[in-house]
Amino acid sequence: MKTKYQYISEWSINFDSEDELRDLINTQGLFEDEFLVKRKTPSTSLQLRYDNDYLTQIRYIDELNDSEIELSNSAKRFRYFENKKNRINFLIPTDKKTNSFIGEDDSSTFTPPKSNLIEVPFQTIAKISSKDEPFDWLPFENFYITYPLFTGLDGFMFFDYKEPLSPKLIGNYKNIEYPFGKMDSAGIHKFNRTNLSIKSIKKLNEDEELDFDYWYAGISGIPFWIQHPDIPKCPKTGNLMRFVCQINTLDSVKVNQSNLISKEYYFAQYTKDLRFWGSGTLYVFMEPESKVVGLIIQDT
């Protein structure tokens, strides 16, 4: 009997759609060495066991739990495949100058998109550099992340990055909301540069818990979802999009220039620091072949 394993950074899976399950396993799949680290933390992982290529066991594992999940009949028919495995790295604010950073600097030639579909301005959120090892698969050296923060959208927003310094919005966004009202699309709202160092999950110390994000600014490799996994397909190619990183709401990233105005009283907190719908997280995906980028915000 041949036994194989898959390790998944997730707390539940369902077998209603085999294609969606494969996408989940490819996006959330862990290397065994990092699974062995993550199982010592409060963050849950799943261990899938296959005998003779058929799924025979799922274990729910974290620092306090190691229990077996009862398999449904559809789960027992699920067959092993060689899934993509990912390395977890944390993006940590640092005083040292680095290739990747949140916010922006004056040397950038990046131009955020403008669209008559979006009636507020876009902000430059971060620059991710392919010079940093976790991002060496990116199709261009400097990836500037942009998003219209003062919108409400229940789903992904997609961009075409064939011109990396001047991406274009793609798709139709009829259900977009404006919780702070519509604003001048040429308005300014900029953040101070916050440099990012990169730290592997295997180098965590005892004060650095995966479930508490106060010490890191974001994560690359595998998304840590606030709500349910929401894994996009490229709207141009249909290919599974690859996770780039997630960026947290950060009161340490200050607004350094803004001329935006809103009558909503709670807008004042957004004029001070980087916020995604109050206290949420921005998830960033890319399909490197088409250079299409997808972004979504989740909050509690």
Side-chain angles (χ1 to χ4, degrees):
M1 182 171 65
K2 294 182 179 179
T3 298
K4 300 176 183 178
Y5 293 92
Q6 290 173 326
Y7 306 99
I8 314 300
S9 178
E10 188 50 45
W11 63 273
S12 70
I13 54 178
N14 72 71
F15 293 85
D16 293 339
S17 169
E18 184 169 326
D19 287 342
E20 290 183 8
L21 179 54
R22 285 173 174 263
D23 291 346
L24 177 72
I25 293 173
N26 279 318
T27 301
Q28 309 287 149
L30 287 166
F31 284 91
E32 182 178 7
D33 58 343
E34 295 196 1
F35 161 76
L36 293 174
V37 174
K38 190 170 179 287
R39 69 177 298 163
K40 299 175 184 177
T41 76
S43 181
T44 302
S45 299
L46 298 176
Q47 175 184 281
L48 280 61
R49 171 174 171 162
Y50 299 81
D51 293 311
N52 294 331
D53 284 340
Y54 283 93
L55 184 64
T56 57
Q57 184 188 73
I58 301 176
R59 301 197 72 83
Y60 176 102
I61 298 173
D62 58 36
E63 66 176 347
L64 299 176
N65 300 283
D66 186 347
S67 56
E68 187 171 345
I69 300 172
E70 184 177 355
L71 295 183
S72 65
N73 289 332
S74 59
K76 294 175 183 177
R77 293 192 294 268
F78 189 72
R79 300 195 68 174
Y80 178 82
F81 68 100
E82 285 290 341
N83 65 294
K84 185 179 181 301
K85 302 174 182 67
N86 308 281
R87 295 287 183 191
I88 300 174
N89 289 282
F90 295 92
L91 311 179
I92 305 172
T94 178
D95 292 332
K96 296 180 180 179
K97 191 171 183 179
T98 56
N99 297 315
S100 297
F101 54 83
I102 295 173
E104 53 187 304
D105 60 17
D106 294 334
S107 65
S108 171
T109 57
F110 178 73
T111 303
K114 292 183 180 178
S115 171
N116 57 15
L117 297 175
I118 308 295
E119 299 186 71
V120 292
F122 287 75
Q123 285 72 53
T124 301
I125 307 300
K127 188 197 85 170
I128 302 299
S129 173
S130 64
K131 291 181 179 180
D132 292 328
E133 185 179 356
F135 307 112
D136 59 9
W137 59 272
L138 292 173
F140 35 81
E141 181 177 328
N142 295 319
F143 170 36
Y144 290 89
I145 298 170
T146 183
Y147 195 86
L149 291 177
F150 305 109
T151 59
L153 178 65
D154 185 19
F156 276 88
M157 186 173 287
F158 293 100
F159 302 84
D160 185 337
Y161 270 76
K162 285 184 180 178
E163 298 293 336
L165 295 179
S166 55
K168 301 292 188 289
L169 184 71
I170 56 177
N172 195 352
Y173 303 95
K174 294 181 179 180
N175 297 322
I176 203 158
E177 297 179 353
Y178 300 96
F180 302 105
K182 296 176 182 179
M183 300 176 177
D184 179 6
S185 61
I188 296 172
H189 192 81
K190 295 183 178 182
F191 301 96
N192 285 330
R193 174 171 172 158
T194 298
N195 292 304
L196 297 173
S197 62
I198 297 171
K199 186 172 187 177
S200 167
I201 188 176
K202 293 187 289 185
K203 295 183 178 180
L204 294 186
N205 63 49
E206 61 183 13
D207 295 325
E208 296 171 336
E209 293 278 7
L210 274 67
D211 281 8
F212 300 98
D213 61 9
Y214 60 86
W215 61 272
Y216 61 86
I219 300 173
S220 71
I222 290 176
F224 282 56
W225 298 100
I226 293 175
Q227 300 175 11
H228 57 83
D230 198 342
I231 300 168
K233 295 284 185 69
C234 173
K236 288 193 173 182
T237 65
N239 294 336
L240 180 69
M241 300 186 75
R242 184 167 177 178
F243 180 64
V244 179
C245 65
Q246 64 190 71
I247 299 173
N248 301 332
T249 289
L250 295 162
D251 58 13
S252 61
V253 177
K254 301 300 182 183
V255 174
N256 70 12
Q257 186 181 2
S258 182
N259 62 5
L260 301 184
I261 298 172
S262 172
K263 295 180 180 179
E264 300 294 339
Y265 74 93
Y266 52 92
F267 180 70
Q269 63 182 320
Y270 288 82
T271 64
K272 298 176 181 178
D273 45 49
L274 177 62
R275 293 182 176 273
F276 301 108
W277 296 356
S279 59
T281 293
L282 179 71
Y283 298 83
V284 184
F285 290 78
M286 179 187 289
E287 206 281 83
E289 179 183 331
S290 65
K291 299 181 177 63
V292 169
V293 170
L295 298 99
I296 191 171
I297 294 174
Q298 287 191 358
D299 199 357
T300 53

